[in-house]
C-alpha cells in the first residue's frame, strides 16, 4: 500500500495528470434526443452513489496512463440543440445534448505493478466537464452539464462509481466520487461504447472531458496463498486461546 502511494506521488511530480479529450464547441450534426431530466444526469461534484451502486476505492486499483496502458479515442456523432446554444438550466427541453462514440483498447505493458494479466476490470473514470483552455496546474471552470447516465452503451456492466479517499489518484478537485465505465480487459481489442452529455448552459469555448484509467487486479496466487495461510494461522491461534 505504501509503495502504491509513493508511486502515485511520483507520478504527480512527473506531471502525469489527467487524460483530456478536447471537444470543439461547434454545434452541428443535429439529431433528435429523448427527453431527459436532472435525475438522469451525472453532475459534478457527485454527492452520494445511488442505492445499489457498486463503489470501488482507488486504493484498491492500479492507475494506468493513456497511451501506455490503454488508448482512448472519442468522436461526436450528433448534437440536439433546441435552444440555439442558449439552454435554460431548469428546462430539460432546452438542454443541448451531445452524442459521442468512443473506443478504448486495453494494452499490456503500462501497469507499474506488472499485474496486467491479473486484471479483472479496466475502468475509465470520468472526473468532470470543464470549459475553456487547460493551463498546466490550472483547471478551467466547470460547466453546468453532465453525463446522461441511461445513455451509456457498450459497457461490460452498468456504470460503477470510484471513490478517491487518498486524494491523489484522481486530481480534478471535484470531490471524492466519480462515475466509472467498466470494460473487460482484453489486450489489443478495440471496444466501442457510446454516451451523451447534456449541457445546461451555453458553450462558448472548448468543452474538456476529463478522465483517468485504472485496472482492478486480483491477488497473485502466491499472495493469495499467503493471505489464506495467515487467516488460517490466526484462526488456529484464536481457537487455542478460546
Amino acid at each position: 500500500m505504501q509503495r502504491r502511494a509513493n508511486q502515485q506521488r511520483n507520478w504527480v511530480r512527473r506531471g502525469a495528470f489527467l487524460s483530456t479529450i478536447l471537444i470543439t464547441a461547434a454545434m452541428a450534426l443535429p439529431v433528435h434526443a429523448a427527453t431527459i431530466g436532472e435525475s438522469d444526469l451525472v453532475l459534478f461534484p457527485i454527492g452520494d452513489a445511488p442505492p445499489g451502486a457498486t463503489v470501488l476505492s482507488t486504493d484498491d486499483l492500479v492507475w494506468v496512463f493513456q497511451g501506455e496502458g490503454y488508448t482512448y479515442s472519442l468522436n461526436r456523432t450528433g448534437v440536439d440543440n433546441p435552444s440555439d446554444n442558449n439552454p435554460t438550466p431548469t428546462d430539460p427541453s432546452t438542454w443541448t445534448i451531445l452524442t459521442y462514440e468512443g473506443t478504448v483498447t486495453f494494452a499490456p505493458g503500462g501497469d507499474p505493478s506488472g499485474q496486467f494479466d491479473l486484471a479483472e476490470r479496466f475502468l475509465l473514470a470520468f472526473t468532470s466537464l470543464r470549459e475553456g483552455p487547460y493551463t498546466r496546474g490550472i483547471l478551467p471552470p466547470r460547466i453546468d452539464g453532465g453525463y446522461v447516465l441511461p445513455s451509456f452503451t457498450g459497457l461490460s456492466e452498468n456504470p460503477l462509481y470510484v471513490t478517491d479517499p487518498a486524494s491523489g489518484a484522481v486530481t480534478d478537485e471535484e470531490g471524492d466520487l466519480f462515475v466509472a465505465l467498466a470494460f473487460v480487459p482484453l489486450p489489443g481489442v478495440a471496444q466501442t461504447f457510446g454516451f451523451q452529455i447534456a449541457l445546461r448552459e451555453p458553450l462558448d469555448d472548448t468543452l474538456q472531458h476529463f478522465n483517468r484509467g485504472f485496472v482492478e487486479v486480483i491477488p497473485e496466487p502466491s499472495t493469495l496463498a499467503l493471505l489464506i495461510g495467515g487467516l488460517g494461522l490466526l484462526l488456529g491461534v484464536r481457537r487455542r486461546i478460546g
Side-chain angles (χ1 to χ4, degrees), residues 145-166:
Y147 298 95
V148 182
L149 199 58
S151 71
F152 285 104
T153 60
L155 309 180
S156 63
E157 53 191 292
N158 291 331
L160 313 174
Y161 291 85
V162 171
T163 184
D164 186 26

Side-chain angles (χ1 to χ4, degrees), residues 17 134-139 173:
F17 289 104
Y134 175 69
T135 303
R136 194 175 188 84
I138 302 176
L139 290 169
E173 300 177 3

Side-chain angles (χ1 to χ4, degrees), residues 25 52 91 167:
D91 184 357
S167 300

Side-chain angles (χ1 to χ4, degrees), residues 1-175:
M1 189 68 69
Q2 183 61 40
R3 181 170 66 89
R4 183 176 299 170
N6 290 337
Q7 287 173 337
Q8 289 180 350
R9 283 194 290 270
N10 290 335
W11 291 328
V12 170
R13 293 192 191 103
R14 293 203 307 266
F17 289 104
L18 299 170
S19 301
T20 308
I21 299 297
L22 303 182
I23 306 168
T24 60
M27 296 299 171
L29 301 174
V31 297
H32 175 71
T35 302
I36 61 174
E38 187 167 343
S39 62
D40 296 318
L41 300 187
V42 177
L43 298 170
F44 295 97
I46 300 174
D48 298 321
T54 299
V55 179
L56 302 173
S57 171
T58 56
D59 288 348
D60 301 320
L61 303 174
V62 176
W63 180 6
V64 294
F65 298 106
Q66 185 173 192
E68 297 178 6
Y70 70 101
T71 57
Y72 174 51
S73 63
L74 188 66
N75 295 295
R76 193 183 68 230
T77 60
V79 174
D80 185 14
N81 185 20
S83 66
D84 193 24
N85 194 30
N86 190 31
T88 302
T90 57
D91 184 357
S93 68
T94 68
W95 297 348
T96 303
I97 307 299
L98 310 178
T99 301
Y100 294 93
E101 184 175 278
T103 300
V104 63
T105 305
F106 175 79
D111 174 10
S113 70
Q115 294 178 312
F116 259 55
D117 292 340
L118 299 174
E120 289 188 313
R121 290 185 179 113
F122 169 74
L123 298 172
L124 188 63
F126 286 174
T127 63
S128 74
L129 295 167
R130 292 177 178 270
E131 182 177 12
Y134 175 69
T135 303
R136 194 175 188 84
I138 302 176
L139 290 169
R142 185 174 66 241
I143 196 166
D144 185 5
Y147 298 95
V148 182
L149 199 58
S151 71
F152 285 104
T153 60
L155 309 180
S156 63
E157 53 191 292
N158 291 331
L160 313 174
Y161 291 85
V162 171
T163 184
D164 186 26
S167 300
V170 179
T171 57
D172 204 9
E173 300 177 3
E174 289 292 343

